[in-house]
Amino acid sequence: MTTVTFLTEGKRIIGFDAKGHSGYSEEGSDIVCAAVTSAVRLVESTVNDVLGLAASVKVHERSGAVEFRLPGGLSATNENTCQALLTGLMLLFSELHSEYPDNIEVMEA
């Protein structure tokens, strides 16, 4: 099962951890893992490459785990944009959980 834990400070999402293989299908043809990977890459690329915010991203190749943390001191505009992206990511993963409850879990910490 893939577990995605969103880290919060009050109502602010400060990052997330994603780990585990969903087990929906064999590695390389698993649509749940593909959806998670694609969404994580989109958020990371938008935050770091488009907005240039230098969020911390750690990828553990062996386990496939990803740790993503927003930087501190964001401008109001960048903060709002990042919160919209991370909230959208949380909603997407929650919808995936509704469709594939045995393969993805979404939590807040």
Side-chain angles (χ1 to χ4, degrees):
M1 172 169 304
T2 297
T3 303
V4 183
T5 304
F6 285 87
L7 308 169
T8 59
E9 288 180 349
K11 293 184 179 187
R12 180 176 183 254
I13 302 170
I14 61 169
F16 62 86
D17 295 331
K19 62 183 177 180
H21 180 66
S22 79
Y24 180 80
S25 184
E26 291 181 27
E27 203 169 317
S29 63
D30 189 317
I31 61 172
V32 177
C33 278
V36 170
T37 299
S38 179
V40 165
R41 286 182 175 174
L42 176 64
V43 169
E44 186 277 328
S45 294
T46 302
V47 170
N48 284 336
D49 299 330
V50 175
L51 299 174
L53 298 180
S56 171
V57 180
K58 294 180 183 172
V59 177
H60 304 275
E61 295 292 333
R62 183 167 264 161
S63 67
V66 176
E67 299 172 15
F68 176 94
R69 302 291 183 276
L70 287 176
L74 297 176
S75 69
T77 299
N78 284 335
E79 178 67 27
N80 289 337
T81 301
C82 289
Q83 291 307 303
L85 284 166
L86 290 171
T87 300
L89 185 66
M90 185 185 297
L91 288 172
L92 172 67
F93 289 161
S94 294
E95 289 174 13
L96 280 173
H97 171 72
S98 294
E99 292 179 48
Y100 305 97
D102 296 331
N103 305 101
I104 182 170
E105 184 70 37
V106 181
M107 302 184 298
E108 287 184 52

